[in-house]
Short mmCIF file of all heavy atoms in Angstrom, two decimals:
data_model
loop_
_atom_site.label_atom_id
_atom_site.label_comp_id
_atom_site.label_asym_id
_atom_site.label_seq_id
_atom_site.Cartn_x
_atom_site.Cartn_y
_atom_site.Cartn_z
N SER S 50 77.11 52.70 69.84
CA SER S 50 76.92 54.02 69.21
C SER S 50 76.79 53.78 67.80
O SER S 50 77.09 52.92 67.20
CB SER S 50 78.24 54.91 69.61
OG SER S 50 79.31 54.15 68.94
N GLY S 51 76.27 54.99 67.15
CA GLY S 51 76.07 54.88 65.69
C GLY S 51 74.97 54.05 65.26
O GLY S 51 73.97 53.82 65.74
N ILE S 52 75.38 53.16 64.25
CA ILE S 52 74.32 52.22 63.81
C ILE S 52 74.17 51.03 64.61
O ILE S 52 73.27 50.38 64.49
CB ILE S 52 74.81 51.79 62.26
CG1 ILE S 52 76.07 51.02 62.18
CG2 ILE S 52 74.73 52.99 61.32
CD1 ILE S 52 76.39 50.53 60.87
N GLN S 53 75.06 50.84 65.64
CA GLN S 53 74.87 49.86 66.51
C GLN S 53 74.01 50.18 67.73
O GLN S 53 73.82 49.25 68.63
CB GLN S 53 76.27 49.31 66.99
CG GLN S 53 77.01 48.71 65.93
CD GLN S 53 78.42 48.28 66.28
OE1 GLN S 53 78.86 48.62 67.35
NE2 GLN S 53 78.99 47.38 65.54
N LYS S 54 73.62 51.38 67.81
CA LYS S 54 72.86 51.88 69.04
C LYS S 54 71.45 51.27 68.89
O LYS S 54 70.79 51.44 67.85
CB LYS S 54 72.82 53.39 69.02
CG LYS S 54 72.09 53.92 70.18
CD LYS S 54 72.18 55.38 70.10
CE LYS S 54 71.57 56.15 71.36
NZ LYS S 54 71.58 57.54 71.31
N VAL S 55 70.90 50.68 70.02
CA VAL S 55 69.54 50.21 69.96
C VAL S 55 68.55 51.46 69.99
O VAL S 55 68.59 52.23 71.05
CB VAL S 55 69.31 49.23 71.12
CG1 VAL S 55 68.01 48.68 71.30
CG2 VAL S 55 70.37 48.14 70.93
N VAL S 56 67.60 51.56 69.14
CA VAL S 56 66.68 52.55 69.13
C VAL S 56 65.27 52.09 68.92
O VAL S 56 65.14 50.91 68.31
CB VAL S 56 67.00 53.66 67.95
CG1 VAL S 56 68.36 54.26 68.32
CG2 VAL S 56 67.08 53.03 66.68
N PRO S 57 64.20 52.84 69.24
CA PRO S 57 62.89 52.33 68.96
C PRO S 57 62.58 52.28 67.60
O PRO S 57 63.11 53.05 66.75
CB PRO S 57 61.95 53.53 69.71
CG PRO S 57 62.86 54.22 70.57
CD PRO S 57 64.30 53.99 69.95
N VAL S 58 61.70 51.31 67.11
CA VAL S 58 61.40 51.08 65.65
C VAL S 58 59.89 51.27 65.54
O VAL S 58 59.06 51.23 66.53
CB VAL S 58 61.97 49.76 65.24
CG1 VAL S 58 63.30 49.67 65.07
CG2 VAL S 58 61.36 48.63 65.88
N SER S 59 59.52 51.40 64.28
CA SER S 59 58.02 51.55 63.98
C SER S 59 57.31 50.17 64.33
O SER S 59 57.93 49.13 64.51
CB SER S 59 57.82 51.85 62.52
OG SER S 59 58.17 50.65 61.73
N SER S 60 55.99 50.30 64.45
CA SER S 60 55.20 49.01 64.74
C SER S 60 55.35 47.99 63.64
O SER S 60 55.37 46.83 64.05
CB SER S 60 53.76 49.39 64.99
OG SER S 60 53.21 49.94 63.80
N GLN S 61 55.45 48.39 62.39
CA GLN S 61 55.51 47.47 61.29
C GLN S 61 56.79 46.56 61.45
O GLN S 61 56.93 45.39 61.39
CB GLN S 61 55.48 48.02 59.90
CG GLN S 61 54.25 48.71 59.55
CD GLN S 61 54.16 50.13 59.82
OE1 GLN S 61 55.19 50.69 60.54
NE2 GLN S 61 53.19 50.93 59.53
N LEU S 62 57.89 47.34 61.62
CA LEU S 62 59.25 46.70 61.71
C LEU S 62 59.31 45.93 63.01
O LEU S 62 59.86 44.89 63.07
CB LEU S 62 60.38 47.73 61.60
CG LEU S 62 61.80 47.10 61.64
CD1 LEU S 62 62.02 46.18 60.43
CD2 LEU S 62 62.81 48.15 61.64
N GLY S 63 58.61 46.49 64.06
CA GLY S 63 58.82 45.70 65.35
C GLY S 63 58.02 44.40 65.25
O GLY S 63 58.50 43.31 65.82
N ASN S 64 56.82 44.39 64.66
CA ASN S 64 56.16 43.14 64.53
C ASN S 64 56.90 42.14 63.61
O ASN S 64 56.92 41.00 63.81
CB ASN S 64 54.76 43.37 63.66
CG ASN S 64 53.83 44.08 64.58
OD1 ASN S 64 53.95 44.06 65.86
ND2 ASN S 64 52.83 44.73 63.97
N PHE S 65 57.65 42.72 62.56
CA PHE S 65 58.38 41.78 61.77
C PHE S 65 59.53 41.19 62.41
O PHE S 65 59.75 39.98 62.41
CB PHE S 65 58.96 42.61 60.52
CG PHE S 65 59.78 41.79 59.49
CD1 PHE S 65 59.19 41.07 58.47
CD2 PHE S 65 61.17 41.70 59.64
CE1 PHE S 65 60.00 40.20 57.65
CE2 PHE S 65 61.99 40.97 58.73
CZ PHE S 65 61.31 40.23 57.78
N LEU S 66 60.23 41.97 63.33
CA LEU S 66 61.46 41.53 63.97
C LEU S 66 61.03 40.92 65.36
O LEU S 66 61.95 40.19 65.92
CB LEU S 66 62.43 42.65 64.15
CG LEU S 66 63.02 43.22 62.97
CD1 LEU S 66 63.84 44.54 63.38
CD2 LEU S 66 63.77 42.37 62.17
N GLY S 67 59.89 41.28 65.83
CA GLY S 67 59.42 40.77 67.20
C GLY S 67 60.21 41.54 68.33
O GLY S 67 60.33 40.99 69.36
N ALA S 68 60.57 42.71 68.08
CA ALA S 68 61.25 43.60 69.04
C ALA S 68 60.84 44.99 68.76
O ALA S 68 60.71 45.40 67.72
CB ALA S 68 62.56 43.42 69.18
#
Side-chain angles (χ1 to χ4, degrees):
S50 64
I52 62 174
Q53 294 180 344
K54 185 177 183 181
V55 176
V56 294
V58 294
S59 70
S60 60
Q61 296 94 353
L62 186 59
N64 290 338
F65 181 84
L66 298 175

